[in-house]
Amino acid sequence: MKKDFSPTLLDFGALQIYLARHFGFCYGVENAIEIAFRTVEENPGKRIFLLSEMIHNPQVNADLQAHGVEFMQDTYGKQLISFDELTKEDIVIIPAFGTTLETEAILRSKGIQTEKYNTTCPFVEKVWNRSESIAGKDYTIVIHGKPAHEETRATFSHAASNAPSVVVKNMEEAKQLAKYITGETAAENFYTEFAGQYSNGFDVTKDLKRIGVVNQTTMLASDTQAIADFLKQVITEKYPDTESFADTRDTLCYATNDNQTAVTGMLDTDADLAIVVGGYNSSNTSHLVELCEEKLTTYFVKNADNILSQNEISHFDLHTKTEKVSVDYLPGTKPVKVLITSGASCPDAIVESVINRLTAFFGLNEQMDKMIGEFSE
Ligand code: SF4
């Protein structure tokens, strides 16, 4: 079915908000949060750990911590609580990103039931299953993802258990990898250039003759597609007589895709600025910011508190990785037109509070409440 990706206009007169047609929580995140809170409710008195952040949203994670849940690792896999402290009575929840086979094995060795509290998103599992199936046909797995991200580490671990695997962060790295396919770069350079990103025993002279590309589900779908198309062209030119490229197009996550396409739809409007709401370490939210930045001034905020006043906004700069304050972010002309969207790990209530904050500056809260009332009727 063809989906509608045009934004919803909330017309308050002096303020016009274009809300992305698809934004916020995806199935995987909703499912994971529900399981986590149910686990807390059903297990009073038990120690409950999360392998790492449930999702990349500070409010959701703080809420879980307030319910007594402890994080075992940080986002980059650094151990915060030693696995040695676990007993078989403890509960360990596997987050939506999934985990590595190595971590699963450690948990099992401690007597922890990993299946019961596993919130790995089915769309991430789909990537693993697809990797396994193409591995069975002797393809090497190229993973488009951020090498340190939990999901990429998990996908890499699963892929590497079945086939030679290598991670590429972006098109530049894909182009470098292509030079090993064509033989343009000497094979021995691969091991330093891609250090930490290839599986044990990877033989660059043999393992780049048949490949398939899968991705960290929150990468920009268009980037993954461009990388896959590029590598397909390179490898089929080099090895024209064999099925050297496996089609893996169907592994792109629907939610990431819809949220990204909805942003593209939103950018057709003549908005003055964009506000993207989500956790600063959220990969999918960062990609929405990148998409908006291509067209107009964009502010990446965690929540409504970042909107300090009508003149000042505190926001995250993706390029310098710092939070900074900008002044005069709202134009003097009326109506002010603002695009708003949020990442897959951002609760809708946070988006609503951002809208509330903006309408308050224009004395429009009453109208906002009326509009919400009409929506919920
Ligand atoms: S973004 Fe997609 S793959 Fe990731 S948790 Fe959500 S639904 Fe699952």
Side-chain angles (χ1 to χ4, degrees):
M1 271 197 315
K2 202 165 167 16
K3 286 186 180 169
D4 182 2
F5 287 104
S6 55
T8 305
L9 172 64
L10 305 178
D11 190 351
F12 299 101
L15 173 68
Q16 295 187 345
I17 291 177
Y18 288 96
L19 199 54
R21 177 68 56 165
H22 297 273
F23 66 92
F25 276 3
C26 56
Y27 166 78
V29 162
E30 246 175 41
N31 179 52
I33 294 173
E34 199 185 303
I35 295 175
F37 282 105
R38 195 178 342 121
T39 305
V40 171
E41 213 177 285
E42 289 173 355
N43 294 281
K46 279 219 171 197
R47 293 201 306 170
I48 301 176
F49 298 94
L50 252 166
L51 260 188
S52 64
E53 288 192 348
M54 189 69 193
I55 54 169
H56 291 145
N57 185 278
Q59 271 88 351
V60 174
N61 291 320
D63 205 11
L64 282 163
Q65 282 175 306
H67 282 81
V69 176
E70 296 177 72
F71 293 131
M72 301 215 69
Q73 293 173 341
D74 74 6
T75 321
Y76 302 102
K78 192 174 143 230
Q79 209 68 27
L80 303 173
I81 298 171
S82 166
F83 286 127
D84 291 339
E85 288 189 27
L86 292 175
T87 72
K88 65 177 183 358
E89 310 305 325
D90 295 326
I91 291 172
V92 180
I93 303 172
I94 296 176
F97 322 109
T99 192
T100 63
L101 291 169
E102 297 75 16
T103 302
E104 260 180 42
I106 294 173
L107 295 177
R108 271 199 305 275
S109 74
K110 302 277 171 196
I112 306 283
Q113 290 178 286
T114 48
E115 306 78 29
K116 201 165 167 195
Y117 304 104
N118 186 350
T119 75
T120 306
C121 175
F123 292 98
V124 174
E125 278 174 344
K126 188 175 169 190
V127 173
W128 300 351
N129 295 339
R130 194 80 177 94
S131 307
E132 192 179 337
S133 104
I134 61 172
K137 295 174 188 156
D138 290 332
Y139 287 100
T140 288
I141 317 292
V142 178
I143 302 158
H144 172 220
K146 296 178 181 169
H149 189 282
E150 289 109 317
E151 186 187 313
T152 296
R153 283 188 281 118
T155 296
F156 176 75
S157 155
H158 284 258
S161 71
N162 296 307
S165 303
V166 58
V167 179
V168 293
K169 208 165 48 207
N170 47 33
M171 182 57 101
E172 283 79 67
E173 287 197 356
K175 285 183 176 163
Q176 291 309 110
L177 186 70
K179 292 182 185 165
Y180 295 100
I181 295 173
T182 57
E184 196 181 333
T185 306
E188 61 268 25
N189 294 353
F190 172 83
Y191 303 98
T192 37
E193 188 169 4
F194 283 89
Q197 291 177 220
Y198 60 86
S199 52
N200 279 341
F202 197 100
D203 183 342
V204 75
T205 61
K206 292 188 189 141
D207 294 333
L208 289 177
K209 294 182 176 168
R210 283 165 69 81
I211 61 167
V213 179
V214 297
N215 78 347
Q216 176 187 319
T217 55
T218 48
M219 298 307 273
L220 265 184
S222 53
D223 281 357
T224 302
Q225 202 52 59
I227 286 171
D229 290 345
F230 167 71
L231 290 175
K232 180 179 181 178
Q233 195 192 342
V234 171
I235 204 158
T236 46
E237 266 170 30
K238 175 80 179 168
Y239 301 106
D241 299 331
T242 55
E243 286 180 14
S244 49
F245 190 83
D247 188 9
T248 50
R249 205 172 280 245
D250 57 345
T251 58
L252 295 175
C253 158
Y254 85 96
T256 306
N257 227 345
D258 284 0
N259 283 3
Q260 290 170 4
T261 312
V263 164
T264 314
M266 209 166 68
L267 290 171
D268 290 337
T269 59
D270 59 342
D272 301 303
L273 65 142
I275 296 180
V276 180
V277 195
Y280 296 158
N281 58 348
S282 159
S283 173
N284 79 88
T285 316
S286 309
H287 291 310
L288 300 181
V289 174
E290 284 167 13
L291 283 176
C292 289
E293 279 182 343
E294 283 175 17
K295 273 277 181 80
L296 77 177
T297 312
T298 302
Y299 300 99
F300 183 2
V301 302
K302 273 201 299 281
N303 55 41
D305 292 342
N306 284 85
I307 304 177
L308 305 172
S309 70
Q310 199 158 354
N311 298 317
E312 286 188 319
I313 188 166
S314 160
H315 59 101
F316 189 67
D317 184 330
L318 269 186
H319 313 282
T320 58
K321 306 275 179 242
T322 52
E323 202 173 39
K324 64 182 194 192
V325 174
S326 291
V327 293
D328 297 331
Y329 66 100
L330 293 176
T333 50
K334 297 261 171 63
V336 173
K337 296 178 181 175
V338 186
L339 302 183
I340 296 187
T341 190
S342 68
S345 46
C346 180
D348 291 354
I350 298 180
V351 176
E352 193 180 321
S353 60
V354 166
I355 296 175
N356 264 322
R357 186 72 141 219
L358 289 174
T359 52
F361 295 146
F362 291 82
L364 296 165
N365 272 12
E366 220 171 279
Q367 241 175 290
M368 168 77 178
D369 292 343
K370 199 166 150 248
M371 202 175 269
I372 290 176
E374 281 167 11
F375 268 110
S376 47
E377 266 168 18

